[in-house]
Amino acid sequence: MKRPSFVTRLLIIVLILCVPPILSTQIGSFYLGRDNGILLGFCVGIPCVTFACWKLYIDEWRDEED
């Protein structure tokens, strides 16, 4: 399977790291209160960081094409 371009890969990583934790924190704060919303954001952020690290290091997304 062909990898996306380098810029596209970095954009995907940034979106994975930023969008789900921020959205879950905002939605959780609205429905569950500030403290629980922040906790929900952290709980969503941990798998996002794990997946992003997996893509960067195991699947070698940080290497540019020749």
Side-chain angles (χ1 to χ4, degrees):
M1 184 172 162
K2 188 175 183 306
R3 294 190 304 182
S5 69
F6 183 69
V7 174
T8 306
R9 290 190 309 243
L10 289 182
L11 182 63
I12 291 169
I13 294 298
V14 167
L15 289 175
I16 289 171
L17 289 175
C18 292
V19 174
I22 291 172
L23 284 178
S24 63
T25 302
Q26 292 297 318
I27 294 170
S29 294
F30 183 74
Y31 287 110
L32 303 172
R34 186 182 70 189
D35 293 338
N36 288 330
I38 292 172
L39 180 63
L40 180 65
F42 277 114
C43 291
V44 169
I46 290 170
C48 290
V49 169
T50 304
F51 180 73
C53 289
W54 176 275
K55 294 308 281 181
L56 285 172
Y57 292 103
I58 303 300
D59 290 345
E60 297 176 352
W61 272 28
R62 60 193 165 106
D63 299 331
E64 291 189 45
E65 286 94 22
D66 295 330

